[in-house]
Amino acid sequence: MKQMTLTRIHIGPVQLGIIVCTLATALIHLYEAVQPGEDLRNWFILNCIGYLVLLVAWFLPQLSGFHRLVRYALIIYAAITILMWLLIGQPSEPIGYVTKAIEVLLIIFLVTEDVQDRRHSLSYSAS
């Protein structure tokens, strides 16, 4: 019988920042989706679901072998969300600026985690 080893993800300040930023932007998109008269309702719902799915994938120990790939997907997803807001969104609404600031912060946390993982991998392989 094949045995599967599950690794745990270390939850430090950077990882907590990733969790909080991802949940915050997902919830803001959900909030925007339920606003009356919102033309982009379906896009907001899909964006919320996308963030939540990627967060779960990033967090699941069963997917730890794909952690870096999920991290990159989350970076790209946040960047595309920002770009789409600039192209078709409503940049004059304050909540949009707050959400984009959270998404930029999310990208910073994800890049920071990637740098930390690379340093840890290098120091681990050198010892």
Side-chain angles (χ1 to χ4, degrees):
M1 180 177 220
K2 189 176 174 182
Q3 185 177 5
M4 185 167 71
T5 304
L6 300 178
T7 59
R8 292 187 171 198
I9 295 176
H10 168 74
I11 304 293
V14 172
Q15 291 73 26
L16 189 58
I18 292 169
I19 294 166
V20 169
C21 287
T22 305
L23 287 175
T25 193
L27 292 174
I28 291 170
H29 282 95
L30 183 61
Y31 169 79
E32 283 294 309
V34 298
Q35 295 306 304
E38 182 53 62
D39 294 336
L40 300 173
R41 175 174 285 119
N42 291 337
W43 290 110
F44 284 129
I45 291 170
L46 289 172
N47 197 269
C48 171
I49 292 169
Y51 273 116
L52 294 176
V53 166
L54 285 168
L55 180 62
V56 168
W58 174 82
F59 201 80
L60 279 178
Q62 295 89 339
L63 297 176
S64 64
F66 300 98
H67 190 80
R68 180 170 279 158
L69 182 62
V70 173
R71 182 187 306 129
Y72 293 155
L74 195 47
I75 290 169
I76 292 167
Y77 195 81
I80 289 172
T81 301
I82 294 167
L83 180 64
M84 294 307 293
W85 176 73
L86 290 170
L87 294 176
I88 64 170
Q90 300 168 357
S92 62
E93 293 193 20
I95 196 163
Y97 289 101
V98 170
T99 309
K100 298 316 128 191
I102 293 169
E103 290 164 344
V104 168
L105 190 57
L106 172 61
I107 291 170
I108 291 168
F109 280 129
L110 290 162
V111 170
T112 301
E113 184 190 49
D114 193 56
V115 169
Q116 289 175 347
D117 277 358
R118 287 175 188 252
R119 283 186 189 150
H120 179 72
S121 294
L122 289 175
S123 66
Y124 183 72
S125 63
S127 46

